[in-house]
Amino acid sequence: MVSVFAHTLRSHRTGLFAVSVGLFLMSLIIVYTFDAFGGLEAFADLFESLPAPMTAMFRAQGGFGTSLTSYIALDYRHPVYIIAGLAFVLSVSSGAAAREIERGTALMLLASPIARWRYLAAKIGALVVGAVVIVTMSWLGSLTGALLTGLSGEVEAGTLLLAQVNELGVLVASGGIAVLLSAMNSDGGRTVSIAAGILTVMYFLDFVGAIWGPAEPLAPLSLFYYFDPLAVATDGSAFLRDVAVLFGVGLVGFVAALVVFQRRDITR
C-alpha cells in the first residue's frame, strides 16, 4: 500500500510541482498588486466599476471587505486557482483506477497480495496529500508576498489558512466525485471528460445562481456554492457548514469508490 502511494506521488510529481509553484508565485504577485492599485481606497474605486457578473464570479456582490486579508482572500476564488487545483485532482483521479485498467497495469499491480480497497486507498491518499501541498503553497505564497512588501503586519495568516482549508474542501469533494467515476470506468479519458463536465455544470449553476434570481435555488447543488474565501475573511459564519459539506461529499465519494472498486469486474 505504501509503495502504491509513493509510486502515485512520484508519477505526478512534475504536475504537482508545476501547480504548487505556479500558485505560490500567483499568491505572491497578488500581494504586490495591492500596492500597484494604490491600496484599499484605489482598489475600492476600481472594484465599484466592475460589472455585476465579474463581482459575482468572486462572490463579492457586497464588496471585497476593508482589509488586505480580505483582498487576498477575494483572489483565492480566481478561476486560475480553481482550474489549476482541479487539473491535478482530475489527473490523479483518472489514474486511480480507470487509466490503470485502460493501460493494463491495474491487473499487474493487483496480482500482488494487496486488497483492491487498499490499492485504491493509497491512490486516494496521494490525491489528498497533493491537494494539501497545493493549498499550503498558495497560502505560503501570500505570506511571502506580505513579508517581501512589508505588509505582513496587515495580513491575518490564520484567516487566510482557513480560506485555503475551504479551497482544500473543493479539491477533496471534486476528487471524491472523480475517484468514484474512475472506480466505475475502465477508460481514463472518459473519466476525466465526465468529471470535468460535472464540475463545469456545477460552476455554471453557482455563477448563474448568483446573478439571476430564478436560478438561485439551484446554486446549492454546486460544490462551488460552498467555496467562499472572501466570506471566510469578512464574516466566517458559514465556514463550518461549507467545509462540512465539501469534505462530506469527498468522504462519501471516496468510500463509495472503495466499495465499487472492490466489487466490480476489472475489464478493459
Side-chain angles (χ1 to χ4, degrees), residues 108-124:
M108 178 182 67
L109 290 169
L110 292 174
S112 60
I114 180 174
R116 288 190 187 184
W117 72 268
R118 291 173 65 87
Y119 164 82
L120 188 58
K123 296 280 189 175
I124 292 171

Side-chain angles (χ1 to χ4, degrees), residues 71-239:
Y71 169 81
I72 296 172
L74 167 76
D75 287 294
Y76 285 159
R77 211 173 191 275
H78 193 286
V80 170
Y81 280 98
I82 297 173
I83 293 172
L86 291 181
F88 172 79
V89 166
L90 293 183
S91 175
V92 177
S93 299
S94 67
R99 197 171 296 283
E100 298 284 13
I101 295 173
E102 180 184 5
R103 293 171 177 171
T105 52
L107 296 174
M108 178 182 67
L109 290 169
L110 292 174
S112 60
I114 180 174
R116 288 190 187 184
W117 72 268
R118 291 173 65 87
Y119 164 82
L120 188 58
K123 296 280 189 175
I124 292 171
L127 185 155
V128 173
V129 168
V132 170
V133 170
I134 288 170
V135 299
T136 300
M137 289 294 286
S138 298
W139 177 65
L140 290 176
S142 297
L143 300 188
T144 302
L147 181 64
L148 294 177
T149 56
L151 297 171
S152 56
E154 300 180 35
V155 173
E156 299 174 15
T159 300
L160 292 181
L161 180 59
L162 292 179
Q164 288 296 342
V165 170
N166 193 191
E167 181 171 3
L168 177 62
V170 174
L171 298 182
V172 169
S174 301
I177 294 172
V179 170
L180 175 57
L181 291 170
S182 183
M184 297 168 61
N185 284 281
S186 301
D187 186 321
R190 177 181 173 82
T191 298
V192 172
S193 298
I194 296 174
I198 291 173
L199 294 174
T200 300
V201 170
M202 285 186 173
Y203 189 84
F204 177 77
L205 286 177
D206 176 60
F207 178 70
V208 172
I211 63 175
W212 188 41
E216 186 175 354
L218 298 176
L221 298 176
S222 168
L223 296 178
F224 302 102
Y225 176 82
Y226 305 96
F227 177 42
D228 196 349
L230 178 60
V232 174
T234 57
D235 181 5
S237 59
F239 173 74

